[in-house]
Amino acid sequence: GAPCRRTIFLASLDARLIALDAATGAPCTPFGNAGTVDLRPGLRIPPAFTEEYEETSPPAVVNGLVIVGSGVSDNGRTDAGSGEVRAFDARTGALRWTWHPVPQDPADPAYRSWENPNAHRTGAANTWSVIATDPARDLVFVPTSSPSPDYYGGERLGDNRYGNSIVALRARTGAVAWYFQTVHHDLWDFDNASPPSLVTLRRDSREIPVVLQGTKTGMLFVLNRETGVPVFPVEERPVPASDVPGERASPTQPFSALRLSPHRLSADDAWGLPPADRAWCRDRMAGLRNEGIFTPPSLKGTLVVPSNIGGAHWGGVAFDPERQIVVVPVNRVAAVVQLIPREELDSARARQRRGERVDGDWE
């Protein structure tokens, strides 16, 4: 009968962590400030404006802790609001640990994968999707997103490890148990948007605890839950290089043996009801850089397949443990990404201020 013996935790869009008595709905006053913890103060990089930092998924509760990620606005600046994952005491709201997806400790092996003087000031790489937990193994599985900004990584060269990854953290301490990066040096907004699914796989008369992760790249990764080692083959394959000054795309990317959606779209695939529509679409596609998945953004425009919505749909996967079947909804929508040189943009804005017409898809 004690107040808040059973507690409901919720994370609000305006970045508050709230504890409520499940029986009455009253705030749990011993938690934080009269039942609420404000999640914006204390960040490594404070948000530049209110909407830059939000909560878009429910908190995870494991072994006496409440764990939250964050939603950080895309493409505003290189040093966007930081995306650390934090754990709070479930009774008092006191901060217990913080994990930085952009490594801050030079002793961390992932630290060296962030190059350039200001790379460790990069923002985002946040976990805005749903966090999964394995209380028995004291593990928390966080699906991280792309570092800021999405489509240009010249200020954060290197693999940018922990970004675009499935990271298993120790629930008690926040220490990294293992990680698996699904995209190196993301230039396509290929966040891990789907929640990790924790299931038991039967294979060769063995039961294997695994993490299923469908990705925007249109692939399904099956990882051993205790080690992060892929259960089904993953191959590092060469991918196209960037032709943008100051950029250096990763020379390889991980390809799972389990592909979910197309990785290439040619001008011959263009479709439209009247012939004029098909011809327009073919001509538009023919003028873009288009070498299949992981073709980097370019100054003339790049056809991105899959696009930033995927690939695997953001809602995650369904798993039938009896039949050992995974069901994954997918998207097949392509996108065009074009980078605009700063001087060209500044010139266009100046012309607009003078009342002159500015042509271009990006005006």
Side-chain angles (χ1 to χ4, degrees):
C4 296
R5 179 178 180 274
R6 185 169 177 82
T7 305
I8 296 172
F9 294 99
L10 63 102
S12 63
L13 189 64
D14 61 351
R16 290 177 296 151
L17 179 59
I18 301 169
L20 302 175
D21 187 322
T24 66
C28 295
T29 53
F31 184 85
N33 182 12
T36 299
V37 172
D38 187 348
L39 296 173
R40 289 194 178 108
L43 295 170
R44 178 176 61 87
I45 304 177
F49 52 95
T50 301
E51 293 79 10
E52 188 179 40
Y53 187 94
E54 301 174 325
E55 292 295 323
T56 52
S57 292
V61 181
V62 56
N63 297 342
L65 298 173
V66 185
I67 300 171
V68 293
S70 59
V72 177
S73 296
D74 290 339
N75 290 317
R77 53 193 177 119
T78 56
D79 55 346
S82 52
E84 48 261 63
V85 174
R86 289 175 290 176
F88 297 88
D89 187 286
R91 289 296 178 192
T92 67
L95 180 65
R96 292 303 183 205
W97 53 256
T98 300
W99 175 73
H100 297 278
V102 180
Q104 300 299 298
D105 183 359
D108 189 324
Y111 186 91
R112 296 187 298 276
S113 70
W114 297 77
E115 305 174 21
N116 285 18
N118 294 320
H120 296 93
R121 280 280 302 170
T122 301
N126 49 298
T127 296
W128 59 263
S129 185
V130 178
I131 296 171
T133 66
D134 185 336
R137 293 178 172 83
D138 193 47
L139 291 176
V140 178
F141 299 91
V142 295
T144 62
S145 64
S146 58
S148 61
D150 286 337
Y151 301 114
Y152 179 73
E155 299 299 317
R156 52 169 175 87
L157 298 177
D159 279 354
N160 307 147
R161 294 177 188 172
Y162 298 153
N164 300 91
S165 298
I166 309 305
V167 184
L169 303 175
R170 296 294 177 193
R172 284 191 300 267
T173 64
V176 175
W178 58 259
Y179 75 95
F180 180 87
Q181 191 171 47
T182 55
V183 178
H184 311 316
H185 188 66
D186 186 12
L187 302 175
W188 306 271
D189 191 16
F190 282 156
D191 299 348
N192 282 301
S194 303
S197 185
L198 310 185
V199 306
T200 300
L201 185 69
R202 292 194 302 270
R203 196 178 190 204
D204 299 330
S205 301
R206 293 181 300 135
E207 290 195 342
I208 309 171
V210 300
V211 179
L212 302 179
Q213 186 68 41
T215 66
K216 288 186 181 183
T217 60
M219 290 182 264
L220 178 67
F221 292 91
V222 183
L223 310 173
N224 186 296
R225 201 185 313 171
E226 297 172 332
T227 64
V229 175
V231 176
F232 289 89
V234 174
E235 179 185 8
E236 286 285 334
R237 297 181 189 171
V239 292
S242 176
D243 56 6
V244 173
E247 182 61 272
R248 189 180 75 225
S250 174
T252 66
Q253 292 289 352
F255 283 77
S256 172
L258 307 177
R259 195 174 81 174
L260 303 172
S261 63
H263 281 173
R264 183 179 292 271
L265 187 67
S266 74
D268 292 336
D269 296 318
W271 185 87
L273 284 175
D277 282 359
R278 291 194 294 274
W280 180 91
C281 193
R282 283 195 296 268
D283 291 344
R284 181 80 170 92
M285 292 171 66
L288 300 171
R289 187 172 179 190
N290 178 16
E291 298 154 56
I293 189 173
F294 298 120
T295 303
S298 62
L299 300 181
K300 74 173 185 177
T302 292
L303 187 69
V304 179
V305 180
S307 69
N308 63 348
I309 65 169
H313 196 271
W314 300 0
V317 308
F319 180 70
D320 182 336
E322 294 301 320
R323 290 181 289 177
Q324 295 280 291
I325 292 174
V326 182
V327 180
V328 191
V330 298
N331 298 304
R332 291 170 173 253
V333 179
V336 176
V337 176
Q338 182 178 7
L339 300 180
I340 308 299
R342 181 182 298 275
E343 59 274 14
E344 187 176 330
L345 180 63
D346 290 344
S347 174
R349 284 175 170 167
R351 295 198 304 276
Q352 281 182 325
R353 286 193 294 269
R354 294 194 297 267
E356 300 175 17
R357 176 179 172 81
V358 176
D359 294 321
D361 294 339
W362 46 271
E363 64 180 285

